[in-house]
Amino acid sequence: MAFSDKVVIVTGASSGIGAATARLFAERGATLSLTGRSEAALREVAMDCGRITGKQPLITIGDLTDEKHAQDLIEGTVARYGKLDVLINNAGILVLGYIEDPEILEKYESTFNVNVKPVLRLTSLAAPHLSKTKGNIVNVSSIAGLRPFIGSSAYCMSKSAVDHLTRCSAVELATKQIRVNAVNPGSVLTQIQKRAGMDEEAVEKYKENVKKAHPLGRAGKPEEIASVIAFLASDDASFVTGVTIPVDGGRQCMTPASF
């Protein structure tokens, strides 16, 4: 699964799954364009990738809810490298909240603004360039898109939307030989839990729940998700499109459980 002649965009590349994905693609020779909101963290990831490949990735700092940033990312990448082969839509947030919470609609809107709209926007902007290279898109969804979880309805709905957007995009863009797939990670311990508002006690409880909820008895590692992303983005998956692949230690086989 070499990417030595491929130009790859990774969103949300400053930490977690995005950072692991960027590093893995660097190891496999890709020319990288990375974006994230944390400049310091993104530059650190970019430096790691540069040490691996000998070529410094293009970095674009910004928030993908900003339409101009999304446009700058795509146009800047193509202007720098002359083409685009792979788009990894990884950026996202975890928002917790019960259906009866007074602010649930606000949480719904903020979640969809980050988890869904940028995926659609970047897919639309990237498609004309991907059609020239017969490239592909990999969306990072969640097992929450396939199974309900208590206390995170807005998040679950947003990931279901990403899954169906993946299928719709795959069918619509297939005539241009653009493949579109998604991975559905189970629990992966990154900064996303704390950013969702979990304190240390809640995170420890979450870790214990993870052991029970996953048949393999542990959380996933960002690198384990990245390896499946790389497969879907590679020529080894040349006849794969419109799929959502759980990478979840068997969690989708279990009954619904609370975060």
Side-chain angles (χ1 to χ4, degrees), residues 34-64:
L34 309 178
T35 187
R37 291 181 297 178
S38 171
E39 181 172 359
L42 188 63
R43 290 192 182 280
E44 183 177 346
V45 173
M47 287 180 63
D48 289 344
C49 293
R51 283 192 287 266
I52 294 168
T53 63
K55 49 189 177 183
Q56 198 67 15
L58 174 66
I59 62 172
T60 309
I61 312 297
D63 189 332
L64 285 171

Side-chain angles (χ1 to χ4, degrees), residues 60-136:
T60 309
I61 312 297
D63 189 332
L64 285 171
T65 61
D66 178 358
E67 187 171 350
K68 186 178 185 304
H69 172 58
Q71 190 168 349
D72 289 346
L73 173 64
I74 300 298
E75 292 181 355
T77 300
V78 175
R80 169 71 69 87
Y81 300 121
K83 66 170 186 169
L84 175 63
D85 296 283
V86 180
L87 168 63
I88 309 296
N89 283 313
N90 166 73
I93 58 172
L94 170 62
V95 175
L96 303 177
Y98 292 90
I99 290 173
E100 293 180 296
D101 288 351
E103 68 276 15
I104 189 62
L105 287 180
E106 287 81 358
K107 290 184 176 182
Y108 162 85
E109 290 177 359
S110 63
T111 305
F112 270 67
N113 280 340
V114 176
N115 289 0
V116 184
K117 284 185 178 180
V119 178
L120 177 57
R121 182 177 292 128
L122 288 173
T123 297
S124 178
L125 291 170
H129 304 289
L130 293 172
S131 67
K132 296 176 183 178
T133 59
K134 296 183 179 179
N136 70 86

Side-chain angles (χ1 to χ4, degrees), residues 220-248:
K221 301 174 183 177
E223 293 77 14
E224 292 175 311
I225 313 304
S227 66
V228 181
I229 293 171
F231 163 70
L232 289 173
S234 75
D235 291 340
D236 290 347
S238 58
F239 201 52
V240 179
T241 195
V243 306
T244 55
I245 299 181
V247 190
D248 67 345

Side-chain angles (χ1 to χ4, degrees), residues 181-211:
N181 296 291
V183 294
N184 296 74
S187 296
V188 179
L189 298 177
T190 65
Q191 291 298 311
I192 196 169
Q193 287 85 21
K194 290 184 178 179
R195 289 172 184 159
M198 292 186 188
D199 58 21
E200 290 296 335
E201 182 179 352
V203 169
E204 289 306 312
K205 182 179 179 181
Y206 177 81
K207 289 179 181 179
E208 289 304 311
N209 288 339
V210 162
K211 295 177 183 178

Side-chain angles (χ1 to χ4, degrees), residues 19-40:
T21 300
R23 293 185 179 104
L24 179 58
F25 273 85
E27 290 170 3
R28 296 184 180 177
T31 298
L32 292 169
S33 174
L34 309 178
T35 187
R37 291 181 297 178
S38 171
E39 181 172 359

